[in-house]
Amino acid sequence: MHCIKILCCRTPPVAFLHYIRPVCASSVISVTQRGLSQYVNKARYLQKLKEDGDFCKKSLYDAQFAVFYGLRPFVREVQSEYRIAWMSKSEIEGKLGIDIHSENLALLDCDEPESTTPNPKAWFAISITPDVTSSKDDRKHQKMVEGSLDATSMNIRKVMFLTSQSQANLLSQGHAYLQWHSKHKYCSNCSARTQPNAAGSKRECPRCSETSFPIMSPVAITLVTNDNQCLVARQSQFPKGMYSALAGFCEPGETLEDAVCREVAEEVGLDIGNITYSTSQHWPFPSSALMLACYASIKPGTTAQVSLDVNEIEDARWLHRDEVKDIIGVAGGRLQEGPPIWLPPTQAVAHQLLRNWALQ
């Protein structure tokens, strides 16, 4: 059996019959018959949770929650690894005596959809913000909540490096949403108090109808190389002995390449070229950044002598490829003379830049 394909034409029907040509039925694809992948089904389910408030509110009854004390996530130690202390709605409300509502939560993800479970369990981040007047009362309240939930609230910077990559990604996402909500409660257009949607994915102003979405600032992080050497630097607020790749926020009107060149010039006084993009990572510090990781090399004919901006950079040094291997624990490395240093841990995109370059 054949179907026909009709071309659009303003010619009277009798005159354009010769434009009609047969098309094999097997070549016609029906979208309704094509099975959607698990990823597509999950993406559309999460989209519905964000756009359908009533549907999202119903999902709260079966959802699981990553609880934050302010912006400190609750975790439990399991086999020398810290994991999110997931809890149900009934557990949180029963143990803490609070009602869960959209003002202090944000949708994170959901279980993998299955044919037998058309509405998989949703995952949310929720913040418990104490109404206390002193740091002493806050610590007392924190300890009380930790005891009630049988979990520990931990600084996000610390726990990010003590858990798995998948857990760190969820905590980073939750921290970013909750921090954004805490800082954007009022409309930037008319100053009225805004209201979050049920999924916590946006805020809407009831007075002027302005809608605002979470902010994520682009940051260029660059490993500058010169043959078998790479440049690492440290800022004064870094932990003692830690060096990393150069990084800075992209400015309005800049391309990623513009930002890379400017930041390197400003911080260490080098001319670079041959910029290549590597990968990206969300980073919750200081306030939800998208780290855009790049490689760059010294421009031919220009100096490799570093000239520090002492207001930004405390120290910088060139490391040989073998030194990087040794510091990050890759076989075959050798540490040369110099003060002891350490590089960012595996969860940081700077580590990936250094490791991938060292193993080339």
Side-chain angles (χ1 to χ4, degrees), residues 10-170:
R10 295 184 180 180
T11 311
V14 175
F16 72 75
L17 287 177
H18 64 280
Y19 287 110
I20 301 175
R21 62 185 179 87
V23 179
C24 177
S26 63
S27 67
V28 180
I29 299 175
S30 172
V31 174
T32 58
Q33 294 177 356
R34 177 174 65 86
L36 298 177
S37 70
Q38 190 176 55
Y39 176 82
V40 172
N41 283 325
K42 183 175 181 178
R44 290 186 174 179
Y45 178 70
L46 289 170
Q47 181 186 29
K48 184 176 182 181
L49 287 171
K50 293 176 183 178
E51 296 180 354
D52 188 332
D54 291 336
F55 182 71
C56 185
K57 290 175 183 177
K58 291 179 182 178
S59 75
L60 296 178
Y61 292 94
D62 297 320
Q64 57 181 0
F65 297 85
V67 186
F68 287 67
Y69 188 85
L71 294 174
R72 296 167 60 94
F74 282 92
V75 293
R76 296 189 181 109
E77 188 174 2
V78 181
Q79 297 178 349
S80 301
E81 179 185 290
Y82 284 93
R83 299 182 184 177
I84 298 171
W86 292 107
M87 299 176 199
S88 66
K89 181 176 185 291
S90 59
E91 283 180 305
I92 296 172
E93 293 180 340
K95 293 180 178 180
L96 300 180
I98 61 174
D99 293 326
I100 291 179
H101 52 82
S102 59
E103 180 62 36
N104 59 345
L105 61 78
L107 176 66
L108 299 178
D109 205 338
C110 67
D111 287 347
E112 294 297 327
E114 302 289 346
S115 58
T116 55
T117 54
N119 294 332
K121 185 180 296 184
W123 308 351
F124 290 85
I126 182 170
S127 176
I128 300 170
T129 305
D131 184 17
V132 294
T133 57
S134 69
S135 58
K136 182 179 180 180
D137 290 339
D138 181 67
R139 287 192 296 272
K140 183 179 179 180
H141 185 267
Q142 178 183 336
K143 291 296 182 183
M144 180 195 72
V145 175
E146 288 179 340
S148 299
L149 300 181
D150 189 26
T152 303
S153 63
M154 189 174 291
N155 182 285
I156 185 71
R157 284 183 180 270
K158 181 178 180 180
V159 75
M160 285 278 289
F161 298 115
L162 296 176
T163 188
S164 67
Q165 189 64 61
S166 60
Q167 297 266 298
N169 290 344
L170 288 169

Side-chain angles (χ1 to χ4, degrees), residues 272-345:
I272 58 169
N274 192 28
I275 300 168
T276 57
Y277 169 79
S278 175
T279 188
S280 64
Q281 179 187 34
H282 176 261
W283 198 242
F285 322 116
S287 183
S288 191
L290 178 62
M291 309 298 289
L292 304 170
C294 298
Y295 293 102
S297 56
I298 298 293
K299 275 187 178 181
T302 63
T303 181
Q305 184 175 352
V306 172
S307 173
L308 296 182
D309 175 3
V310 294
N311 294 318
E312 291 281 341
I313 304 297
E314 183 179 77
D315 187 37
R317 63 175 291 188
W318 291 98
L319 292 180
H320 190 274
R321 198 183 303 267
D322 290 331
E323 288 183 279
V324 175
K325 289 180 182 179
D326 187 272
I327 296 169
I328 65 176
V330 176
R334 56 182 177 83
L335 188 60
Q336 298 177 349
E337 294 295 328
I341 70 170
W342 60 282
L343 300 172

Side-chain angles (χ1 to χ4, degrees), residues 175-292:
H175 181 278
Y177 270 114
L178 296 175
Q179 184 181 56
W180 176 73
H181 281 296
S182 70
K183 292 184 176 182
H184 294 81
K185 293 182 178 180
Y186 296 91
C187 178
S188 60
N189 187 50
C190 72
S191 75
R193 189 178 179 90
T194 58
Q195 297 295 325
N197 67 336
S201 59
K202 61 183 177 181
R203 298 186 73 92
E204 298 170 330
C205 178
R207 180 189 294 171
C208 70
S209 301
E210 182 80 6
T211 301
S212 57
F213 296 90
I215 299 169
M216 189 162 60
S217 303
V219 174
I221 178 167
T222 309
L223 185 66
V224 179
T225 64
N226 186 24
D227 293 328
N228 278 319
Q229 291 187 315
C230 71
L231 185 68
V232 292
R234 61 170 282 107
Q235 296 179 327
S236 58
Q237 67 265 33
F238 281 11
K240 184 178 180 180
M242 177 182 152
Y243 284 69
S244 185
L246 299 171
F249 288 99
C250 299
E251 296 184 351
E254 284 186 325
T255 64
L256 176 58
E257 292 83 359
D258 291 338
V260 168
C261 291
R262 176 184 53 78
E263 282 292 335
V264 173
E266 288 177 353
E267 294 185 351
V268 293
L270 297 175
D271 287 311
I272 58 169
N274 192 28
I275 300 168
T276 57
Y277 169 79
S278 175
T279 188
S280 64
Q281 179 187 34
H282 176 261
W283 198 242
F285 322 116
S287 183
S288 191
L290 178 62
M291 309 298 289
L292 304 170

